[in-house]
Amino acid sequence: MPDSDTTNDTGTESGTGAAATTTAGRKRLVSGPGLLLVWLYGVMVVGAVSRSAFQISTEFDRAPLAYSLSAVAALAYAFITYSLVRGGERARKAALVCCAAELAGVLAVGTWTLVRPESFPDTTVWSQFGMGYLFIPVILPITGMLWLRRRGAAPTR
């Protein structure tokens, strides 16, 4: 049998390189350093969702812009995490676009919070480029884009 990554009729993997694909035949994005990337995005999902859900439900009138932006960050993190776990070329491209949008958001909100801090009576996940989250919000999309570009450049069998 040739060395290939395929899925047979029962939906199970066959071939010697089966670890490189999912059961649907999609190219895996979660391997090696990609596993750490998924873990970090997962942690950010939990943090951003928890923070924004609590703040929106208890004190939304105090800082609606900040809390809404934290919810947007949570959605971006969730989408990227899902795309990385799902795998495949379409998911890789979607995650790459979302990482670029996330980085643009972090840079815009981070700059905005430094230039016009009075616009934000409370912080967002992306305030001051993610300082409250150890700058992970500005580092993560850059790392994600580098990883996803590398995964797209890898030859397939």
Side-chain angles (χ1 to χ4, degrees):
M1 177 174 251
D3 182 18
S4 64
D5 296 333
T6 59
T7 304
N8 63 24
D9 292 337
T10 63
T12 58
E13 297 170 345
S14 63
T16 59
T21 62
T22 64
T23 56
R26 292 185 295 266
K27 183 178 172 187
R28 284 185 52 126
L29 298 174
V30 182
S31 61
L35 188 57
L36 177 61
L37 191 64
V38 168
W39 185 84
L40 285 171
Y41 267 112
V43 168
M44 293 303 291
V45 168
V46 171
V49 166
S50 301
R51 175 188 184 133
S52 63
F54 174 78
Q55 290 173 324
I56 287 171
S57 65
T58 61
E59 47 196 29
F60 185 72
D61 56 331
R62 192 176 91 164
L65 178 61
Y67 303 152
S68 296
L69 288 171
S70 288
V72 168
L75 290 174
Y77 297 144
F79 179 79
I80 293 168
T81 304
Y82 169 77
S83 295
L84 291 171
V85 170
R86 184 175 190 283
E89 185 59 18
R90 284 181 53 190
R92 186 192 69 80
K93 287 179 181 178
L96 188 59
V97 168
C98 197
C99 282
E102 174 196 354
L103 181 59
V106 172
L107 295 176
V109 172
T111 302
W112 190 0
T113 57
L114 293 176
V115 174
R116 302 280 316 257
E118 67 276 3
S119 298
F120 295 88
D122 202 355
T123 60
T124 74
V125 174
W126 294 342
S127 289
Q128 299 170 341
F129 308 105
M131 187 169 75
Y133 286 80
L134 305 174
F135 297 102
I136 292 172
V138 76
I139 296 167
L140 203 52
I142 295 168
T143 306
M145 288 188 298
L146 292 172
W147 173 253
L148 290 164
R149 286 180 53 114
R150 181 174 162 262
R151 296 299 293 177
T156 58
R157 295 185 216 208

PDB file of all heavy atoms in Angstrom, residues 3-19:
ATOM      1  N   ASP A   3       2.405   4.985   0.729  1.00  0.00           N
ATOM      2  CA  ASP A   3       2.470   5.830   1.908  1.00  0.00           C
ATOM      3  C   ASP A   3       1.613   7.065   1.680  1.00  0.00           C
ATOM      4  O   ASP A   3       2.014   7.999   1.020  1.00  0.00           O
ATOM      5  CB  ASP A   3       3.930   6.218   2.165  1.00  0.00           C
ATOM      6  CG  ASP A   3       4.079   7.059   3.417  1.00  0.00           C
ATOM      7  OD1 ASP A   3       3.179   7.064   4.257  1.00  0.00           O
ATOM      8  OD2 ASP A   3       5.115   7.710   3.534  1.00  0.00           O
ATOM      9  N   SER A   4       0.388   7.032   2.216  1.00  0.00           N
ATOM     10  CA  SER A   4      -0.515   8.164   1.984  1.00  0.00           C
ATOM     11  C   SER A   4      -1.401   8.380   3.191  1.00  0.00           C
ATOM     12  O   SER A   4      -1.559   7.509   4.031  1.00  0.00           O
ATOM     13  CB  SER A   4      -1.386   7.922   0.761  1.00  0.00           C
ATOM     14  OG  SER A   4      -2.226   6.812   0.987  1.00  0.00           O
ATOM     15  N   ASP A   5      -1.979   9.566   3.254  1.00  0.00           N
ATOM     16  CA  ASP A   5      -2.918   9.913   4.310  1.00  0.00           C
ATOM     17  C   ASP A   5      -4.305   9.938   3.699  1.00  0.00           C
ATOM     18  O   ASP A   5      -4.665  10.878   3.014  1.00  0.00           O
ATOM     19  CB  ASP A   5      -2.609  11.299   4.887  1.00  0.00           C
ATOM     20  CG  ASP A   5      -1.256  11.344   5.554  1.00  0.00           C
ATOM     21  OD1 ASP A   5      -0.811  10.288   6.017  1.00  0.00           O
ATOM     22  OD2 ASP A   5      -0.650  12.425   5.593  1.00  0.00           O
ATOM     23  N   THR A   6      -5.055   8.878   3.920  1.00  0.00           N
ATOM     24  CA  THR A   6      -6.387   8.805   3.339  1.00  0.00           C
ATOM     25  C   THR A   6      -7.374   8.356   4.388  1.00  0.00           C
ATOM     26  O   THR A   6      -7.012   7.851   5.441  1.00  0.00           O
ATOM     27  CB  THR A   6      -6.422   7.808   2.166  1.00  0.00           C
ATOM     28  OG1 THR A   6      -6.022   6.529   2.647  1.00  0.00           O
ATOM     29  CG2 THR A   6      -5.522   8.251   1.031  1.00  0.00           C
ATOM     30  N   THR A   7      -8.618   8.504   4.076  1.00  0.00           N
ATOM     31  CA  THR A   7      -9.692   8.021   4.932  1.00  0.00           C
ATOM     32  C   THR A   7     -10.444   6.952   4.160  1.00  0.00           C
ATOM     33  O   THR A   7     -10.831   7.165   3.020  1.00  0.00           O
ATOM     34  CB  THR A   7     -10.651   9.178   5.288  1.00  0.00           C
ATOM     35  OG1 THR A   7      -9.892  10.218   5.878  1.00  0.00           O
ATOM     36  CG2 THR A   7     -11.722   8.721   6.236  1.00  0.00           C
ATOM     37  N   ASN A   8     -10.651   5.791   4.788  1.00  0.00           N
ATOM     38  CA  ASN A   8     -11.347   4.724   4.077  1.00  0.00           C
ATOM     39  C   ASN A   8     -12.849   4.883   4.216  1.00  0.00           C
ATOM     40  O   ASN A   8     -13.340   5.831   4.814  1.00  0.00           O
ATOM     41  CB  ASN A   8     -10.853   3.342   4.553  1.00  0.00           C
ATOM     42  CG  ASN A   8     -11.151   3.095   6.018  1.00  0.00           C
ATOM     43  OD1 ASN A   8     -12.058   3.677   6.588  1.00  0.00           O
ATOM     44  ND2 ASN A   8     -10.365   2.203   6.620  1.00  0.00           N
ATOM     45  N   ASP A   9     -13.618   3.956   3.682  1.00  0.00           N
ATOM     46  CA  ASP A   9     -15.074   4.048   3.654  1.00  0.00           C
ATOM     47  C   ASP A   9     -15.706   4.092   5.039  1.00  0.00           C
ATOM     48  O   ASP A   9     -16.794   4.612   5.209  1.00  0.00           O
ATOM     49  CB  ASP A   9     -15.675   2.866   2.877  1.00  0.00           C
ATOM     50  CG  ASP A   9     -15.331   2.952   1.405  1.00  0.00           C
ATOM     51  OD1 ASP A   9     -15.047   4.066   0.931  1.00  0.00           O
ATOM     52  OD2 ASP A   9     -15.353   1.897   0.740  1.00  0.00           O
ATOM     53  N   THR A  10     -15.056   3.562   6.045  1.00  0.00           N
ATOM     54  CA  THR A  10     -15.634   3.543   7.385  1.00  0.00           C
ATOM     55  C   THR A  10     -15.338   4.829   8.149  1.00  0.00           C
ATOM     56  O   THR A  10     -15.769   4.979   9.284  1.00  0.00           O
ATOM     57  CB  THR A  10     -15.098   2.346   8.198  1.00  0.00           C
ATOM     58  OG1 THR A  10     -13.687   2.512   8.355  1.00  0.00           O
ATOM     59  CG2 THR A  10     -15.438   1.034   7.544  1.00  0.00           C
ATOM     60  N   GLY A  11     -14.570   5.747   7.546  1.00  0.00           N
ATOM     61  CA  GLY A  11     -14.255   7.009   8.202  1.00  0.00           C
ATOM     62  C   GLY A  11     -13.028   6.940   9.084  1.00  0.00           C
ATOM     63  O   GLY A  11     -12.699   7.880   9.770  1.00  0.00           O
ATOM     64  N   THR A  12     -12.339   5.785   9.046  1.00  0.00           N
ATOM     65  CA  THR A  12     -11.127   5.674   9.839  1.00  0.00           C
ATOM     66  C   THR A  12      -9.929   5.927   8.947  1.00  0.00           C
ATOM     67  O   THR A  12     -10.000   5.793   7.727  1.00  0.00           O
ATOM     68  CB  THR A  12     -11.012   4.283  10.497  1.00  0.00           C
ATOM     69  OG1 THR A  12     -11.035   3.295   9.466  1.00  0.00           O
ATOM     70  CG2 THR A  12     -12.151   4.046  11.480  1.00  0.00           C
ATOM     71  N   GLU A  13      -8.832   6.288   9.584  1.00  0.00           N
ATOM     72  CA  GLU A  13      -7.641   6.641   8.817  1.00  0.00           C
ATOM     73  C   GLU A  13      -6.891   5.400   8.381  1.00  0.00           C
ATOM     74  O   GLU A  13      -6.898   4.378   9.058  1.00  0.00           O
ATOM     75  CB  GLU A  13      -6.735   7.528   9.670  1.00  0.00           C
ATOM     76  CG  GLU A  13      -7.387   8.839  10.022  1.00  0.00           C
ATOM     77  CD  GLU A  13      -6.596   9.624  11.054  1.00  0.00           C
ATOM     78  OE1 GLU A  13      -5.712   9.034  11.683  1.00  0.00           O
ATOM     79  OE2 GLU A  13      -6.885  10.801  11.212  1.00  0.00           O
ATOM     80  N   SER A  14      -6.232   5.527   7.244  1.00  0.00           N
ATOM     81  CA  SER A  14      -5.367   4.459   6.783  1.00  0.00           C
ATOM     82  C   SER A  14      -4.104   5.093   6.246  1.00  0.00           C
ATOM     83  O   SER A  14      -4.045   6.275   5.992  1.00  0.00           O
ATOM     84  CB  SER A  14      -6.069   3.630   5.701  1.00  0.00           C
ATOM     85  OG  SER A  14      -6.333   4.435   4.576  1.00  0.00           O
ATOM     86  N   GLY A  15      -3.073   4.299   6.054  1.00  0.00           N
ATOM     87  CA  GLY A  15      -1.811   4.831   5.560  1.00  0.00           C
ATOM     88  C   GLY A  15      -0.856   5.065   6.713  1.00  0.00           C
ATOM     89  O   GLY A  15      -1.234   5.163   7.858  1.00  0.00           O
ATOM     90  N   THR A  16       0.416   5.180   6.394  1.00  0.00           N
ATOM     91  CA  THR A  16       1.422   5.320   7.443  1.00  0.00           C
ATOM     92  C   THR A  16       1.492   6.715   8.006  1.00  0.00           C
ATOM     93  O   THR A  16       1.982   6.895   9.095  1.00  0.00           O
ATOM     94  CB  THR A  16       2.813   4.926   6.897  1.00  0.00           C
ATOM     95  OG1 THR A  16       3.097   5.771   5.794  1.00  0.00           O
ATOM     96  CG2 THR A  16       2.857   3.477   6.512  1.00  0.00           C
ATOM     97  N   GLY A  17       1.015   7.715   7.302  1.00  0.00           N
ATOM     98  CA  GLY A  17       1.066   9.082   7.804  1.00  0.00           C
ATOM     99  C   GLY A  17      -0.265   9.534   8.345  1.00  0.00           C
ATOM    100  O   GLY A  17      -0.593  10.703   8.290  1.00  0.00           O
ATOM    101  N   ALA A  18      -1.041   8.626   8.913  1.00  0.00           N
ATOM    102  CA  ALA A  18      -2.395   8.956   9.361  1.00  0.00           C
ATOM    103  C   ALA A  18      -2.417  10.025  10.441  1.00  0.00           C
ATOM    104  O   ALA A  18      -3.396  10.730  10.581  1.00  0.00           O
ATOM    105  CB  ALA A  18      -3.098   7.695   9.857  1.00  0.00           C
ATOM    106  N   ALA A  19      -1.356  10.171  11.193  1.00  0.00           N
ATOM    107  CA  ALA A  19      -1.339  11.174  12.256  1.00  0.00           C
ATOM    108  C   ALA A  19      -1.377  12.591  11.692  1.00  0.00           C
ATOM    109  O   ALA A  19      -1.679  13.525  12.402  1.00  0.00           O
ATOM    110  CB  ALA A  19      -0.103  10.998  13.125  1.00  0.00           C
TER     111      ALA A  19
END
